[in-house]
Amino acid sequence: MTVPTLTHFAGGQRLAAHSTRTSPVYDPATGAVTAHLPLADAVDARRVIDDAASAAQAWGARSASDRAQVLFKFRELCLAHRDGIARLISNEHGKVLADARGELQRGLEVVEFACGIPHLMKGEFSDGVSRGIDMHSLRQPLGVVAAITPFNFPAMVPLWMLGPALATGNAVVLKPSERDPSCPLRLAELWTEAGGPPGTFNVLNGDKEAVDALLADPVVQAVSFVGSTPIARYVHETAARHGKRVQAMGGAKNHCVVLPDADLAQVTDALMGAAYGSAGERCMAISVAVVVGDATADALVERLSERVRALDVGVPTEGNPDMGPIVTGAQRDRIAGYIAAGVKEGAALVVDGRTHPRAQGPGFFLGGTLFDRVTSAMSIHQDEIFGPVLCVVRVASADEALALCDAHRYGNGVAIFTRSGGAARDFAHRVQCGMVGINVAIPVPLAFYSFGGWKESAFADHNQHGMDGVRFYTRVKTVTTRWPEGTSGASFTMPVLR
Ligand code: NAD
């Protein structure tokens, strides 16, 4: 079977690459190379950015209601093609089909929110700020904006950015992950089919060279990034140095605090989904359970160990497994390396995902791994592993649990399980983290709130979607109006309100 070579997307159609550099796209369930992805060079980047620039002004000049009509149609088409899109995601990412449909749904919720853009973009008006003078503010699009996205949500994270960016009247250059580019290309096709003007939603495929071209290009007004922390920091610093507006979400190490009064059956269910769903390749996955008291920890580890051993690991498009493979062989080996490091550092390995029958090949599978008696100094607690590995840390008190969460350099999501309203409220108020769940293990904000972490999980002050998305993709203009009759003479002093 010949392996296809993918393209960029510009001018409302797929665009063959100028560059001859490529990277392999895998089916992680078999390990086979299913496509070659072109990695953009400067010529590709120029073509795609110029194409966006040629479309931005006319799109921004259309009424907000008119743009919303295209977004409505785009949403309908995405839903009509939901199964096909989910299959593209599962085939290249490895997450199970139901999970792929779920991520599309969560992304489309941002599009639904953005359909309200005529209301969301409304400015302010003050009648008579001084004698015969009115003042109003309006929000205008930026022009061409770049969206740089990670492998783990090839539909949802691009839609976090595309929804508000397009609704507010910008043209977008999306630089998706090299690992799973087929879903973003399909979304661009559906946008065109929905009536999105050519050039408003472009895809530039590539690696660092493509990202660097976007970060330095004077046409690009703003950069939205989601990915790992070292790259988020680099994108934040580089884009800012080039005078761009930038938001950059990074990695995570999400803790779930379990107090002794928690319902352990509920905690076990919640942790299984939060730690092992999507093979742990979620920025909101729980990778550390901080358990207060040895008795609670003993009981929880016993329940979890049975369930982790019984995880159904399988081909993501066949049947309904709990967990599919890891995205690439390199990532699978990296996770296995952390499991080895955890053993060496003295943690108790309760379930070893490396010994799962599926992990013997073919494909990039690993079973679920459970560690007990992990300490904060160990690399498996310090680093983001981004795989199906759950670490149990034992502490003596709720205060010690809070201190452990706060001492970590990441602050994306955190959860607490308890039956005490007072303890939960106190924790939610004090914890240094951007998103908090109370008896909710994965507290991902809905589209009408905004998504973002604290500390090294996010750089710059705008979150993703919600009103923050509208603010990020627009700039405010404030207009002062006066319709005087006759002349009142020159004034050489600062005008003051009268
Ligand atoms: P990644 O940082 O490797 O890649 C993200 C993007 O950056 C990709 O488009 C990639 O092509 C590009 N990139 C990679 N290396 C680069 C370099 N040296 N210079 C410039 N650009 C580069 O991340 P990933 O492995 O695709 O995704 C997983 C990571 O994303 C995890 O750390 C996860 O926590 C994080 N993530 C965070 C959030 C959030 O909202 N905080 C959401 C999803 C994923």
Side-chain angles (χ1 to χ4, degrees):
M1 202 179 78
T2 55
V3 175
T5 298
L6 301 177
T7 62
H8 307 298
F9 192 95
Q13 56 192 346
R14 294 199 179 221
L15 174 75
H18 170 270
S19 153
T20 52
R21 279 194 316 130
T22 61
S23 97
V25 179
Y26 296 99
D27 174 352
T30 62
V33 174
T34 55
H36 298 297
L37 183 74
L39 300 175
D41 60 13
V43 175
D44 290 315
R46 185 75 277 130
R47 279 157 76 182
V48 176
I49 295 169
D50 284 350
D51 189 62
S54 70
Q57 205 188 2
W59 177 241
R62 279 163 74 160
S63 74
S65 315
D66 194 17
R67 291 194 300 265
Q69 291 307 315
V70 183
L71 285 162
F72 274 119
K73 181 76 185 154
F74 174 61
R75 172 189 173 274
E76 275 173 32
L77 284 174
C78 288
L79 286 176
H81 293 279
R82 177 173 40 194
D83 290 345
I85 296 171
R87 202 161 276 277
L88 291 176
I89 296 171
S90 292
N91 285 342
E92 293 180 353
H93 175 285
K95 67 177 73 175
V96 301
L97 275 177
D99 196 30
R101 275 190 222 103
E103 85 150 276
L104 178 64
Q105 180 61 40
R106 292 306 295 264
L108 288 177
E109 286 168 12
V110 175
V111 176
E112 287 160 15
F113 176 79
C115 285
I117 201 64
H119 173 71
L120 301 173
M121 260 181 106
K122 278 194 305 199
E124 297 171 311
F125 181 85
S126 299
D127 176 48
V129 291
S130 185
R131 255 179 304 171
I133 299 181
D134 302 330
M135 191 173 279
H136 73 277
S137 66
L138 57 146
R139 293 195 165 271
Q140 294 187 322
L142 306 176
V144 176
V145 299
I148 303 165
T149 55
F151 82 85
N152 65 322
F153 286 111
M156 185 182 79
V157 172
L159 289 171
W160 282 358
M161 302 170 184
L162 287 157
L166 289 166
T168 49
N170 299 281
V172 181
V173 177
L174 170 63
K175 206 307 282 172
S177 167
E178 306 90 300
R179 317 262 170 267
D180 39 20
S182 293
C183 166
L185 284 167
R186 184 73 186 118
L187 293 179
E189 278 178 348
L190 292 175
W191 173 254
T192 307
E193 204 179 317
T200 48
F201 175 176
N202 303 284
V203 181
L204 179 70
N205 278 310
D207 55 3
K208 178 172 168 52
E209 194 172 338
V211 171
D212 284 344
L214 292 168
L215 298 182
D217 198 293
V219 172
V220 176
Q221 300 298 305
V223 177
S224 180
F225 174 90
V226 173
S228 60
T229 287
I231 312 300
R233 185 182 276 115
Y234 167 76
V235 166
H236 179 232
E237 290 173 359
T238 312
R241 201 165 50 248
H242 285 92
K244 298 185 197 316
R245 186 176 290 205
V246 55
Q247 56 179 179
M249 275 60 199
K253 190 83 181 178
N254 306 312
H255 294 63
C256 177
V257 172
V258 183
L259 298 191
D261 67 349
D263 178 326
L264 287 191
Q266 285 176 8
V267 174
T268 307
D269 280 345
L271 283 176
M272 288 305 297
Y276 302 103
S278 200
E281 294 168 313
R282 290 181 180 143
C283 63
M284 289 292 277
I286 292 288
S287 46
V288 186
V290 188
V291 188
V292 176
D294 276 330
T296 314
D298 288 343
L300 183 63
V301 168
E302 192 182 330
R303 284 170 184 262
L304 282 170
S305 59
E306 274 173 35
R307 298 279 293 274
V308 178
R309 279 192 196 94
L311 271 172
D312 180 5
V313 182
V315 176
T317 51
E318 289 173 13
N320 189 23
D322 299 323
M323 206 173 96
I326 307 300
V327 66
T328 59
Q331 175 63 4
R332 191 250 339 257
D333 296 345
R334 184 176 167 278
I335 298 166
Y338 271 110
I339 299 171
V343 174
K344 204 164 160 202
E345 287 166 346
L349 182 57
V350 182
V351 185
D352 184 352
R354 298 170 300 181
T355 60
H356 191 282
R358 282 270 183 195
Q360 314 318 310
F364 308 140
F365 290 93
L366 266 182
T369 292
L370 179 65
F371 275 112
D372 190 8
R373 300 185 185 279
V374 174
T375 65
S376 60
M378 294 178 184
S379 65
I380 53 172
H381 178 254
Q382 286 294 320
D383 298 348
E384 181 183 41
I385 300 174
F386 220 55
V389 180
L390 178 63
C391 299
V392 173
V393 181
R394 296 171 175 233
V395 294
S397 67
D399 276 347
E400 199 185 326
L402 176 69
L404 189 97
C405 300
D406 284 353
H408 208 282
R409 67 178 184 278
Y410 293 121
N412 212 39
V414 71
I416 183 165
F417 277 73
T418 175
R419 303 315 303 168
S420 160
R425 186 181 183 282
D426 182 58
F427 178 84
H429 192 73
R430 290 163 67 195
V431 71
Q432 300 296 302
C433 193
M435 293 169 281
V436 184
I438 297 175
N439 299 316
V440 172
I442 308 191
V444 175
L446 289 170
F448 39 91
Y449 282 80
S450 71
F451 182 109
W454 287 13
K455 298 189 276 187
E456 291 189 31
S457 291
F459 301 89
D461 66 347
H462 279 104
N463 277 355
Q464 296 283 341
H465 64 70
M467 282 310 293
D468 263 19
V470 177
R471 290 186 198 106
F472 181 74
Y473 290 112
T474 54
R475 57 188 141 208
V476 175
K477 185 178 278 176
T478 308
V479 182
T480 308
T481 308
R482 181 176 173 233
W483 299 98
E485 288 185 7
T487 59
S488 53
S491 171
F492 298 98
T493 56
M494 278 291 283
V496 289
L497 286 182
R498 266 180 282 146

